[in-house]
Structure formats: C-alpha cells, structure tokens
Amino acid sequence: ADNVEIVENLASTLWFALERPDDALEWYEKLLELAESRLEALEPLANLLQELERWQRLTEILVEIAELTPDFLQQRQKYLELGQIWSKQLDDDEKAVGYFNEVLNMDSSDEDAINALVELYGRTESWSDLVEVLSLRAQLNPQGETETRLLRAQILSDRLDDVEGAAQEYEDILNYEPENGLILEELKKLYTENEKWENLADLLERNLNLLRDPDLQRENLESLAVLNQTVLNNSRLASDYYNRILDLEPDNVDIIQVLEDLYQSDGKH
C-alpha cells in the first residue's frame, strides 16, 4: 500500500506540478500494476494518454475500463469515446462502427451513437447501413421525421436503385402530411422517371382531391387527362378529366378540340 501511494504521488507530481506528462506516463503505467483496484488506476492513465494523444494505447485502456466497470453510463461513455478515436484519430471506420453499435446494443435509442453512425455511414457511402440507422433517427425524433424519411427515400432511389422502397417512404410521409408539396413533387418525379404510370395516376387523383387553388386543380386535371390519353390508353377517363377542365373553363377551345378528337377516335359522333 505504501508503494502504491508513493508511485501515485510521484506520477501526480510529475504530471501536474512539474508539467512533465511524458515522464509521468511511466509511473502511471507502473501504478496500474501495483494498484489494488485496477479500475481506479485506469481512469487517470486514460486521461494522461488523452492529453499526450497516445491514441492506440488509449483505446486499450478504454476497452479495459468498459469491460471492468459495473456502471452502465461509464461503459456507454467509453464505447462512444472509442468510436470517436477510431473514427477521427486512427482512421479505422470499421472499428468505430463496431463501438458505436455496442452503444446501440445497450440502448437502441442512444442519440449520440445514432448521429455518429449517420455521419460515418454517409462519409463511407455505406448506403444500406445508413438507411437502417436513419430509421432509428426517425423514431427517435418525431419532429424531424419528415426530413429524415425524405433523406431515406433519396438514398433508396438514387444510391440503392430501390424505387419501391423510396416510393413507400414518400407515401408514408403523405399519409400524415397529405398536402406536403415537396413530397408530392418528389413522388411524381420518381413515378415519372421510372414509368410507374398507374401509380402516378393514383397519386394525381389523390392530390386532386386536396387542391383548393383553381389553377392547380386545372394543372392536375390536364396531367391526368394527358396521362390517360397518351400512356394508359384510357380515353373514357381522359374525356372525364377534359370535361372537368371545361367545367372550370367553358370557353377553352383547345380542350373542346381535344374532346372532339377523342370522341371521333372512339367512334362517337
């Protein structure tokens, strides 16, 4: 016990009083061998290694603290520190991911670990993993759920070529924000680029029921009419939509001409 106290005092004096941290390190390592409580000796050694930026050795000490401590919060903190060190200082993203996931294994709603993984997966272009962890962020933060799900949809569409998955994300947002113009436009674009014409027609019809602006109603009606006329080959529905435009614009000669052409092509004179 006397030897432990002597070594501890010497190490502390070298570090704090004499400002010789490099010399103090040798004695803190020796203290680790002598101390009755290894856990208590590990913490000051970790702090000194942090100051000296001895990252590799610091990771070994942090792992040992995490394994020895009975304190849930301390264990969590050490795994977070390990993740940051492997990511920022030692440039090993794989190991960093492993430690952040250790935190999620302890608590799947840990915001710090989730945000760290979002940053890591984005930087390393691990798109499937990023989509998965973004779902945790969406559950954790309802206020930002729309923004997070929009990001998920864009990754699914642009990075993973998962059109169905992206569409489902957009549709889920519209279930609770049916008048979100940005999401409607993104979904219309997705369906158009991938020639999902039936889905596009269904979306436009649902959107039509929400519109209050006459100009937007007219634009949507014409989109539905042209879609049914030129792509879906449904002249009956196309005529219905053109007629609804005429209800708004009774003197629109262009629409009247289109209707006449439709009736003639269908043998309706």
Side-chain angles (χ1 to χ4, degrees):
D2 289 342
N3 286 342
V4 170
E5 186 174 350
I6 291 170
V7 171
E8 187 173 7
N9 289 335
L10 178 57
S12 179
T13 299
L14 285 167
W15 185 6
F16 298 109
L18 300 179
E19 297 183 354
R20 292 163 52 188
D22 286 289
D23 293 330
L25 180 58
E26 177 185 351
W27 293 99
Y28 276 110
E29 291 280 10
K30 189 177 293 292
L31 180 63
L32 194 59
E33 301 172 7
L34 299 174
E36 292 183 11
S37 171
R38 188 171 178 86
L39 183 58
E40 289 181 9
L42 285 166
E43 196 64 49
L45 177 56
N47 293 335
L48 179 55
L49 290 166
Q50 174 101 29
E51 181 178 313
L52 293 171
E53 299 183 356
R54 305 286 181 87
W55 304 118
Q56 191 73 47
R57 177 60 175 150
L58 177 55
T59 62
E60 298 170 4
I61 298 302
L62 291 177
V63 167
E64 193 169 353
I65 294 174
E67 291 175 347
L68 289 176
T69 181
D71 186 325
F72 175 90
L73 293 178
Q74 187 182 32
Q75 186 180 50
R76 168 195 176 272
Q77 185 58 40
K78 297 312 171 189
Y79 283 141
L80 286 173
E81 290 176 21
L82 281 159
Q84 291 296 342
I85 291 169
W86 281 110
S87 172
K88 306 295 184 185
Q89 277 78 35
L90 296 177
D91 297 320
D92 190 327
D93 292 328
E94 185 176 350
K95 285 188 177 179
V97 165
Y99 285 114
F100 290 132
N101 274 316
E102 284 288 349
V103 178
L104 287 187
N105 290 337
M106 298 167 69
D107 178 5
S108 61
S109 65
D110 192 290
E111 190 170 1
D112 290 330
I114 289 171
N115 290 335
L117 285 170
V118 167
E119 190 274 330
L120 257 177
Y121 288 145
R123 177 159 54 81
T124 58
E125 300 184 353
S126 303
W127 305 121
S128 295
D129 293 322
L130 179 54
V131 166
E132 185 176 344
V133 79
L134 282 173
S135 69
L136 296 177
R137 174 184 277 183
Q139 297 168 25
L140 184 66
N141 180 20
Q143 291 78 17
E145 182 175 2
T146 297
E147 180 182 354
T148 301
R149 298 196 76 151
L150 174 59
L151 179 57
R152 273 171 54 89
Q154 291 169 338
I155 295 168
L156 286 165
S157 173
D158 299 340
R159 302 295 186 176
L160 297 174
D161 295 322
D162 185 354
V163 175
E164 297 299 329
Q168 188 60 58
E169 288 292 330
Y170 288 131
E171 293 282 8
D172 287 346
I173 296 172
L174 290 178
N175 284 337
Y176 57 86
E177 291 186 25
E179 299 185 57
N180 188 316
L182 172 63
I183 301 303
L184 285 166
E185 288 305 313
E186 288 291 334
L187 191 50
K188 283 164 63 175
K189 177 183 175 184
L190 182 69
Y191 285 149
T192 300
E193 289 178 348
N194 292 278
E195 299 183 356
K196 302 286 186 179
W197 306 122
E198 294 284 356
N199 299 95
L200 178 59
D202 178 65
L203 175 67
L204 291 172
E205 180 63 42
R206 282 182 286 142
N207 190 28
L208 185 62
N209 296 328
L210 299 171
L211 297 173
R212 299 292 177 264
D213 186 307
D215 291 335
L216 293 177
Q217 285 183 340
R218 191 237 184 262
E219 180 184 335
N220 224 56
L221 283 168
E222 185 164 13
S223 295
L224 279 163
V226 171
L227 182 62
N228 278 281
Q229 179 186 1
T230 61
V231 179
L232 298 177
N233 296 317
N234 191 328
S235 57
R236 181 188 62 79
L237 270 180
S239 298
D240 289 344
Y241 289 121
Y242 283 126
N243 275 308
R244 289 172 69 176
I245 296 174
L246 278 184
D247 291 339
L248 299 173
E249 303 173 1
D251 299 325
N252 189 317
V253 294
D254 292 331
I255 298 300
I256 292 171
Q257 183 62 56
V258 171
L259 277 169
E260 287 180 355
D261 293 342
L262 272 174
Y263 290 147
Q264 289 176 0
S265 66
D266 285 349
K268 299 175 183 177
H269 301 287

Coordinates of all heavy atoms in Angstrom, one line a residue, residues 90-165:
L90 N -7.6 7.5 -35.5 CA -6.9 6.3 -36.0 C -7.4 5.8 -37.4 O -6.9 4.9 -37.9 CB -7.0 5.2 -35.0 CG -6.4 5.4 -33.6 CD1 -6.6 4.3 -32.7 CD2 -4.9 5.7 -33.8
D91 N -8.4 6.6 -37.9 CA -8.9 6.3 -39.3 C -9.2 4.9 -39.6 O -8.9 4.3 -40.6 CB -7.8 6.8 -40.3 CG -7.6 8.3 -40.2 OD1 -8.5 9.0 -40.1 OD2 -6.4 8.7 -40.3
D92 N -9.9 4.3 -38.6 CA -10.4 2.9 -38.8 C -11.9 2.9 -38.6 O -12.4 2.7 -37.5 CB -9.8 1.9 -37.8 CG -10.1 0.5 -38.2 OD1 -11.2 0.2 -38.7 OD2 -9.2 -0.4 -37.9
D93 N -12.6 3.2 -39.7 CA -14.1 3.4 -39.6 C -14.8 2.1 -39.2 O -15.8 2.1 -38.5 CB -14.7 3.8 -41.0 CG -14.2 5.3 -41.3 OD1 -14.0 6.0 -40.3 OD2 -14.0 5.6 -42.5
E94 N -14.2 0.9 -39.6 CA -14.9 -0.3 -39.3 C -14.9 -0.6 -37.8 O -15.9 -1.0 -37.2 CB -14.1 -1.5 -40.0 CG -14.8 -2.8 -39.8 CD -14.1 -4.0 -40.5 OE1 -13.3 -3.7 -41.4 OE2 -14.5 -5.2 -40.3
K95 N -13.8 -0.3 -37.1 CA -13.7 -0.4 -35.7 C -14.6 0.6 -35.0 O -15.3 0.3 -34.0 CB -12.3 -0.3 -35.2 CG -11.5 -1.6 -35.4 CD -10.1 -1.5 -34.8 CE -9.4 -2.8 -35.0 NZ -8.0 -2.8 -34.4
A96 N -14.7 1.8 -35.6 CA -15.5 2.9 -35.0 C -17.0 2.4 -35.0 O -17.7 2.6 -34.0 CB -15.3 4.2 -35.8
V97 N -17.4 1.9 -36.2 CA -18.8 1.4 -36.3 C -19.1 0.4 -35.2 O -20.2 0.4 -34.6 CB -19.0 0.9 -37.7 CG1 -20.3 0.0 -37.8 CG2 -19.1 2.0 -38.7
G98 N -18.1 -0.5 -35.0 CA -18.3 -1.6 -34.0 C -18.6 -1.0 -32.6 O -19.5 -1.5 -31.9
Y99 N -17.9 0.0 -32.2 CA -18.1 0.6 -30.9 C -19.4 1.4 -30.8 O -20.1 1.3 -29.8 CB -16.9 1.4 -30.5 CG -15.7 0.5 -30.1 CD1 -14.5 0.5 -30.8 CD2 -15.8 -0.3 -29.0 CE1 -13.4 -0.3 -30.5 CE2 -14.7 -1.2 -28.6 CZ -13.5 -1.1 -29.4 OH -12.5 -2.0 -29.1
F100 N -19.7 2.1 -31.8 CA -21.0 2.8 -31.8 C -22.2 1.8 -31.8 O -23.2 2.1 -31.1 CB -21.1 3.8 -33.0 CG -20.2 4.9 -33.0 CD1 -19.4 5.3 -34.1 CD2 -20.1 5.7 -31.8 CE1 -18.5 6.4 -34.0 CE2 -19.2 6.8 -31.7 CZ -18.4 7.1 -32.8
N101 N -22.0 0.7 -32.4 CA -23.1 -0.3 -32.4 C -23.1 -1.0 -31.0 O -24.2 -1.5 -30.6 CB -22.9 -1.3 -33.5 CG -23.5 -0.9 -34.8 OD1 -24.6 -0.4 -34.9 ND2 -22.7 -1.1 -35.9
E102 N -22.0 -1.0 -30.3 CA -22.0 -1.5 -29.0 C -22.9 -0.7 -28.1 O -23.7 -1.2 -27.3 CB -20.6 -1.6 -28.4 CG -19.7 -2.7 -28.8 CD -20.1 -4.0 -28.3 OE1 -20.9 -4.1 -27.3 OE2 -19.6 -5.0 -28.8
V103 N -22.9 0.6 -28.3 CA -23.7 1.6 -27.6 C -25.2 1.3 -27.9 O -26.1 1.3 -27.1 CB -23.4 3.0 -27.9 CG1 -24.3 4.0 -27.1 CG2 -21.9 3.3 -27.5
L104 N -25.5 1.1 -29.2 CA -26.8 0.8 -29.6 C -27.3 -0.5 -29.1 O -28.5 -0.7 -28.8 CB -27.0 0.8 -31.2 CG -26.9 2.2 -31.8 CD1 -27.2 2.1 -33.3 CD2 -27.8 3.2 -31.2
N105 N -26.4 -1.5 -28.9 CA -26.8 -2.7 -28.3 C -27.3 -2.5 -26.9 O -28.1 -3.3 -26.3 CB -25.7 -3.7 -28.4 CG -25.4 -4.2 -29.8 OD1 -26.3 -4.2 -30.6 ND2 -24.2 -4.7 -30.0
M106 N -26.7 -1.5 -26.2 CA -27.0 -1.2 -24.9 C -28.4 -0.4 -24.8 O -29.2 -0.6 -23.9 CB -25.9 -0.4 -24.2 CG -24.6 -1.1 -24.1 SD -23.2 0.0 -23.6 CE -23.7 0.4 -21.9
D107 N -28.5 0.5 -25.8 CA -29.7 1.3 -25.8 C -29.9 1.7 -27.3 O -29.2 2.6 -27.8 CB -29.5 2.6 -25.0 CG -30.7 3.5 -25.0 OD1 -31.7 3.2 -25.7 OD2 -30.6 4.6 -24.4
S108 N -30.9 1.1 -27.9 CA -31.2 1.4 -29.4 C -31.7 2.8 -29.7 O -31.8 3.2 -30.8 CB -32.2 0.4 -29.9 OG -33.5 0.5 -29.2
S109 N -31.9 3.6 -28.6 CA -32.4 4.9 -28.8 C -31.3 6.0 -28.5 O -31.6 7.1 -28.3 CB -33.7 5.2 -28.0 OG -33.4 5.2 -26.6
D110 N -30.1 5.5 -28.4 CA -29.0 6.4 -28.0 C -28.7 7.4 -29.1 O -28.2 7.0 -30.2 CB -27.7 5.6 -27.6 CG -26.7 6.5 -27.0 OD1 -26.1 7.4 -27.6 OD2 -26.4 6.3 -25.8
E111 N -29.0 8.7 -28.9 CA -28.9 9.7 -29.9 C -27.5 9.9 -30.4 O -27.3 10.1 -31.6 CB -29.6 11.0 -29.4 CG -29.8 12.0 -30.5 CD -30.6 13.2 -30.1 OE1 -31.0 13.2 -28.9 OE2 -30.8 14.1 -30.9
D112 N -26.6 9.9 -29.5 CA -25.2 10.2 -29.8 C -24.6 9.1 -30.7 O -23.9 9.4 -31.7 CB -24.3 10.3 -28.6 CG -24.6 11.5 -27.7 OD1 -25.0 12.6 -28.3 OD2 -24.5 11.5 -26.5
A113 N -24.9 7.9 -30.4 CA -24.5 6.8 -31.3 C -25.1 6.8 -32.6 O -24.5 6.6 -33.7 CB -24.7 5.4 -30.6
I114 N -26.4 7.1 -32.7 CA -27.1 7.1 -33.9 C -26.6 8.2 -34.8 O -26.3 8.0 -36.0 CB -28.6 7.3 -33.7 CG1 -29.3 6.1 -33.1 CG2 -29.4 7.7 -35.0 CD1 -30.7 6.3 -32.6
N115 N -26.4 9.4 -34.3 CA -25.8 10.5 -35.1 C -24.4 10.2 -35.5 O -24.1 10.6 -36.7 CB -25.9 11.8 -34.2 CG -27.3 12.3 -34.0 OD1 -28.2 12.0 -34.8 ND2 -27.5 13.1 -33.0
A116 N -23.6 9.6 -34.7 CA -22.3 9.2 -35.1 C -22.3 8.2 -36.3 O -21.5 8.4 -37.2 CB -21.5 8.6 -33.9
L117 N -23.2 7.3 -36.2 CA -23.3 6.3 -37.3 C -23.8 6.9 -38.6 O -23.4 6.5 -39.7 CB -24.2 5.1 -36.8 CG -23.5 4.1 -35.9 CD1 -24.5 3.2 -35.3 CD2 -22.4 3.4 -36.5
V118 N -24.8 7.8 -38.4 CA -25.3 8.5 -39.6 C -24.1 9.2 -40.3 O -24.0 9.2 -41.6 CB -26.4 9.5 -39.3 CG1 -26.7 10.5 -40.4 CG2 -27.6 8.8 -38.8
E119 N -23.3 9.9 -39.6 CA -22.1 10.6 -40.1 C -21.1 9.7 -40.8 O -20.7 9.9 -41.9 CB -21.5 11.5 -39.1 CG -20.4 12.4 -39.6 CD -19.0 11.8 -39.7 OE1 -18.7 10.9 -39.0 OE2 -18.3 12.3 -40.6
L120 N -20.9 8.6 -40.1 CA -19.9 7.6 -40.6 C -20.4 6.9 -41.8 O -19.6 6.8 -42.8 CB -19.6 6.5 -39.5 CG -18.4 6.6 -38.7 CD1 -18.3 5.6 -37.6 CD2 -17.1 6.5 -39.5
Y121 N -21.6 6.4 -41.8 CA -22.1 5.7 -42.9 C -22.3 6.6 -44.2 O -22.0 6.2 -45.3 CB -23.5 5.1 -42.6 CG -23.4 3.9 -41.7 CD1 -24.5 3.7 -40.7 CD2 -22.4 3.0 -41.7 CE1 -24.4 2.6 -39.8 CE2 -22.4 1.9 -40.8 CZ -23.4 1.7 -39.9 OH -23.3 0.7 -39.1
G122 N -22.6 7.9 -43.9 CA -22.7 8.8 -45.0 C -21.3 9.1 -45.6 O -21.1 9.1 -46.9
R123 N -20.3 9.2 -44.8 CA -18.9 9.5 -45.3 C -18.3 8.3 -46.0 O -17.6 8.5 -47.0 CB -18.1 9.9 -44.1 CG -16.6 10.2 -44.4 CD -15.9 11.0 -43.4 NE -16.1 10.5 -42.0 CZ -15.3 9.5 -41.5 NH1 -14.4 8.9 -42.3 NH2 -15.5 9.1 -40.3
T124 N -18.7 7.1 -45.5 CA -18.1 5.9 -46.2 C -19.0 5.3 -47.3 O -18.7 4.3 -47.8 CB -17.8 4.8 -45.1 OG1 -19.1 4.5 -44.4 CG2 -16.8 5.3 -44.1
E125 N -20.1 6.0 -47.5 CA -21.1 5.6 -48.5 C -21.6 4.2 -48.3 O -21.8 3.4 -49.2 CB -20.5 5.8 -49.9 CG -20.0 7.2 -50.3 CD -19.5 7.4 -51.7 OE1 -19.3 6.3 -52.4 OE2 -19.3 8.5 -52.1
S126 N -21.9 3.9 -47.0 CA -22.5 2.6 -46.7 C -24.0 2.8 -46.7 O -24.6 3.0 -45.6 CB -22.0 2.2 -45.3 OG -20.6 2.1 -45.3
W127 N -24.6 2.8 -47.9 CA -25.9 3.3 -48.0 C -27.0 2.5 -47.3 O -27.9 3.0 -46.7 CB -26.2 3.5 -49.5 CG -25.3 4.3 -50.3 CD1 -24.5 4.0 -51.3 CD2 -25.0 5.7 -50.0 NE1 -23.7 5.1 -51.7 CE2 -24.0 6.1 -50.9 CE3 -25.4 6.6 -49.0 CZ2 -23.4 7.4 -50.9 CZ3 -24.9 7.9 -49.0 CH2 -23.9 8.3 -50.0
S128 N -26.8 1.1 -47.4 CA -27.8 0.3 -46.8 C -27.8 0.5 -45.3 O -28.9 0.5 -44.6 CB -27.6 -1.2 -47.1 OG -27.7 -1.4 -48.5
D129 N -26.6 0.5 -44.7 CA -26.5 0.8 -43.3 C -27.1 2.1 -42.9 O -27.7 2.3 -41.8 CB -25.0 0.7 -42.8 CG -24.5 -0.8 -43.0 OD1 -25.2 -1.7 -42.7 OD2 -23.3 -0.9 -43.4
L130 N -26.8 3.1 -43.7 CA -27.3 4.5 -43.5 C -28.8 4.5 -43.4 O -29.4 5.1 -42.6 CB -26.8 5.4 -44.5 CG -27.2 6.9 -44.3 CD1 -26.9 7.4 -43.0 CD2 -26.5 7.8 -45.4
V131 N -29.4 3.8 -44.4 CA -30.9 3.8 -44.4 C -31.4 3.2 -43.2 O -32.4 3.6 -42.6 CB -31.4 3.0 -45.7 CG1 -32.9 2.6 -45.5 CG2 -31.2 3.8 -46.9
E132 N -30.8 2.1 -42.7 CA -31.2 1.4 -41.5 C -31.1 2.3 -40.3 O -32.1 2.4 -39.5 CB -30.4 0.1 -41.3 CG -30.9 -0.7 -40.1 CD -30.2 -2.0 -40.0 OE1 -29.5 -2.4 -41.0 OE2 -30.3 -2.7 -39.0
V133 N -30.0 3.0 -40.1 CA -29.8 3.8 -38.9 C -30.7 5.1 -39.0 O -31.1 5.6 -37.9 CB -28.3 4.1 -38.7 CG1 -27.9 5.2 -39.6 CG2 -28.1 4.5 -37.2
L134 N -31.0 5.5 -40.2 CA -31.9 6.7 -40.3 C -33.3 6.4 -39.8 O -34.0 7.2 -39.3 CB -31.9 7.2 -41.7 CG -30.7 8.0 -42.2 CD1 -30.8 8.3 -43.7 CD2 -30.7 9.3 -41.4
S135 N -33.7 5.1 -39.9 CA -35.0 4.7 -39.4 C -35.0 4.8 -37.9 O -36.1 5.2 -37.3 CB -35.3 3.3 -39.8 OG -34.5 2.3 -39.2
L136 N -33.9 4.6 -37.2 CA -33.8 4.8 -35.8 C -33.9 6.2 -35.4 O -34.6 6.6 -34.5 CB -32.5 4.2 -35.2 CG -32.3 2.7 -35.3 CD1 -30.9 2.3 -34.8 CD2 -33.4 1.9 -34.6
R137 N -33.3 7.1 -36.3 CA -33.3 8.5 -36.0 C -34.8 9.0 -36.2 O -35.2 9.9 -35.4 CB -32.4 9.3 -37.0 CG -32.5 10.8 -36.8 CD -31.7 11.5 -37.8 NE -30.3 11.7 -37.4 CZ -29.4 12.3 -38.1 NH1 -29.7 12.9 -39.3 NH2 -28.1 12.4 -37.6
A138 N -35.5 8.5 -37.2 CA -36.8 9.0 -37.4 C -37.7 8.6 -36.2 O -38.6 9.4 -35.8 CB -37.4 8.3 -38.7
Q139 N -37.5 7.4 -35.7 CA -38.3 7.0 -34.5 C -38.0 7.9 -33.3 O -38.8 8.2 -32.5 CB -38.1 5.5 -34.2 CG -38.5 4.6 -35.3 CD -38.0 3.2 -35.1 OE1 -37.7 2.8 -34.0 NE2 -37.9 2.4 -36.2
L140 N -36.7 8.3 -33.2 CA -36.2 9.0 -32.0 C -36.7 10.4 -32.0 O -36.9 11.0 -31.0 CB -34.7 8.9 -32.0 CG -34.0 9.5 -30.8 CD1 -34.3 8.7 -29.5 CD2 -32.5 9.5 -31.0
N141 N -36.8 11.0 -33.2 CA -37.1 12.4 -33.3 C -38.3 12.7 -34.2 O -38.2 12.9 -35.4 CB -35.9 13.2 -33.9 CG -36.1 14.6 -34.0 OD1 -37.0 15.2 -33.4 ND2 -35.3 15.3 -34.8
P142 N -39.5 12.6 -33.7 CA -40.7 12.8 -34.5 C -40.8 14.1 -35.2 O -41.3 14.2 -36.3 CB -41.9 12.6 -33.5 CG -41.3 11.8 -32.3 CD -39.8 12.2 -32.3
Q143 N -40.2 15.1 -34.5 CA -40.3 16.5 -35.1 C -39.5 16.5 -36.4 O -39.8 17.3 -37.3 CB -39.7 17.5 -34.2 CG -40.6 17.8 -32.9 CD -40.4 16.7 -31.9 OE1 -39.5 15.9 -31.9 NE2 -41.3 16.7 -30.9
G144 N -38.4 15.7 -36.5 CA -37.6 15.7 -37.8 C -37.9 14.5 -38.6 O -37.1 14.2 -39.5
E145 N -39.0 13.8 -38.4 CA -39.2 12.5 -39.1 C -39.4 12.8 -40.6 O -38.9 12.0 -41.4 CB -40.5 11.9 -38.5 CG -40.8 10.5 -39.2 CD -41.9 9.8 -38.6 OE1 -42.6 10.3 -37.6 OE2 -42.2 8.7 -39.0
T146 N -40.1 13.8 -41.0 CA -40.3 14.0 -42.4 C -38.9 14.2 -43.1 O -38.7 13.6 -44.2 CB -41.2 15.3 -42.6 OG1 -42.5 15.0 -42.1 CG2 -41.3 15.6 -44.1
E147 N -38.1 15.1 -42.6 CA -36.8 15.3 -43.1 C -35.9 14.0 -43.2 O -35.3 13.8 -44.2 CB -36.0 16.4 -42.3 CG -34.7 16.7 -42.9 CD -33.9 17.8 -42.0 OE1 -34.6 18.3 -41.0 OE2 -32.8 18.0 -42.3
T148 N -36.0 13.3 -42.2 CA -35.2 12.0 -42.1 C -35.7 11.0 -43.2 O -35.0 10.4 -43.9 CB -35.2 11.4 -40.7 OG1 -34.7 12.3 -39.8 CG2 -34.4 10.1 -40.7
R149 N -37.1 10.9 -43.3 CA -37.6 9.9 -44.2 C -37.4 10.4 -45.7 O -37.3 9.6 -46.6 CB -39.1 9.7 -43.9 CG -39.4 9.1 -42.5 CD -40.8 8.6 -42.4 NE -40.9 7.3 -43.1 CZ -41.7 6.3 -42.7 NH1 -42.5 6.5 -41.7 NH2 -41.7 5.2 -43.4
L150 N -37.4 11.7 -45.9 CA -37.1 12.2 -47.2 C -35.7 11.8 -47.6 O -35.4 11.4 -48.7 CB -37.2 13.8 -47.2 CG -36.8 14.5 -48.5 CD1 -37.6 14.0 -49.7 CD2 -37.0 16.0 -48.3
L151 N -34.7 11.9 -46.6 CA -33.3 11.5 -46.9 C -33.3 10.0 -47.2 O -32.6 9.6 -48.1 CB -32.5 11.9 -45.7 CG -31.0 11.5 -45.8 CD1 -30.3 12.1 -47.0 CD2 -30.2 12.0 -44.5
R152 N -34.0 9.2 -46.4 CA -34.1 7.8 -46.7 C -34.6 7.5 -48.1 O -34.0 6.7 -48.8 CB -35.0 7.1 -45.7 CG -34.3 6.7 -44.3 CD -35.4 6.2 -43.3 NE -36.2 5.2 -43.9 CZ -35.9 3.9 -43.8 NH1 -34.8 3.5 -43.2 NH2 -36.8 3.0 -44.2
A153 N -35.6 8.2 -48.5 CA -36.2 8.0 -49.8 C -35.2 8.3 -50.9 O -35.1 7.6 -51.9 CB -37.5 8.8 -50.0
Q154 N -34.5 9.4 -50.7 CA -33.5 9.8 -51.7 C -32.4 8.8 -51.8 O -31.9 8.6 -53.0 CB -33.0 11.2 -51.4 CG -34.0 12.3 -51.6 CD -33.6 13.7 -51.0 OE1 -32.7 13.7 -50.1 NE2 -34.2 14.7 -51.4
I155 N -31.9 8.3 -50.7 CA -30.8 7.3 -50.7 C -31.3 6.0 -51.4 O -30.6 5.4 -52.2 CB -30.3 7.0 -49.3 CG1 -29.7 8.2 -48.7 CG2 -29.4 5.8 -49.3 CD1 -29.4 8.1 -47.2
L156 N -32.5 5.6 -51.0 CA -33.1 4.4 -51.6 C -33.2 4.5 -53.2 O -32.9 3.6 -53.9 CB -34.5 4.1 -51.0 CG -34.5 3.5 -49.6 CD1 -35.9 3.6 -49.0 CD2 -34.0 2.1 -49.6
S157 N -33.6 5.7 -53.6 CA -33.8 5.9 -55.0 C -32.5 6.1 -55.8 O -32.2 5.4 -56.8 CB -34.8 7.1 -55.2 OG -34.8 7.4 -56.6
D158 N -31.7 7.0 -55.3 CA -30.5 7.5 -56.0 C -29.3 6.6 -55.8 O -28.5 6.5 -56.7 CB -30.1 8.9 -55.6 CG -31.3 9.9 -55.9 OD1 -32.2 9.6 -56.7 OD2 -31.3 11.0 -55.3
R159 N -29.2 6.0 -54.6 CA -28.0 5.2 -54.3 C -28.2 3.7 -54.4 O -27.3 2.9 -54.7 CB -27.5 5.5 -52.9 CG -27.2 7.0 -52.7 CD -26.0 7.5 -53.6 NE -25.6 8.8 -53.3 CZ -24.6 9.5 -53.9 NH1 -23.8 8.8 -54.8 NH2 -24.3 10.7 -53.6
L160 N -29.4 3.2 -54.1 CA -29.6 1.8 -54.0 C -30.6 1.3 -55.1 O -30.9 0.1 -55.1 CB -30.2 1.4 -52.6 CG -29.3 1.7 -51.4 CD1 -30.0 1.5 -50.1 CD2 -28.0 0.9 -51.5
D161 N -31.0 2.2 -55.9 CA -31.9 1.8 -57.0 C -33.2 1.1 -56.5 O -33.7 0.1 -57.2 CB -31.2 1.0 -58.1 CG -30.1 1.8 -58.8 OD1 -30.3 3.0 -59.0 OD2 -29.0 1.3 -59.1
D162 N -33.6 1.4 -55.4 CA -34.8 0.8 -54.8 C -36.0 1.7 -54.9 O -36.3 2.4 -54.0 CB -34.5 0.4 -53.3 CG -35.7 -0.3 -52.6 OD1 -36.7 -0.5 -53.3 OD2 -35.5 -0.7 -51.5
V163 N -36.6 1.6 -56.1 CA -37.7 2.5 -56.4 C -38.9 2.3 -55.5 O -39.5 3.2 -55.0 CB -38.1 2.4 -57.9 CG1 -39.3 3.3 -58.2 CG2 -36.9 2.8 -58.8
E164 N -39.2 1.0 -55.3 CA -40.3 0.6 -54.5 C -40.1 1.1 -53.0 O -41.1 1.6 -52.4 CB -40.6 -0.9 -54.5 CG -40.9 -1.5 -55.9 CD -42.2 -0.9 -56.4 OE1 -43.1 -0.6 -55.7 OE2 -42.2 -0.8 -57.7
G165 N -38.9 0.9 -52.5 CA -38.7 1.4 -51.2 C -38.8 2.9 -51.0 O -39.3 3.4 -50.1

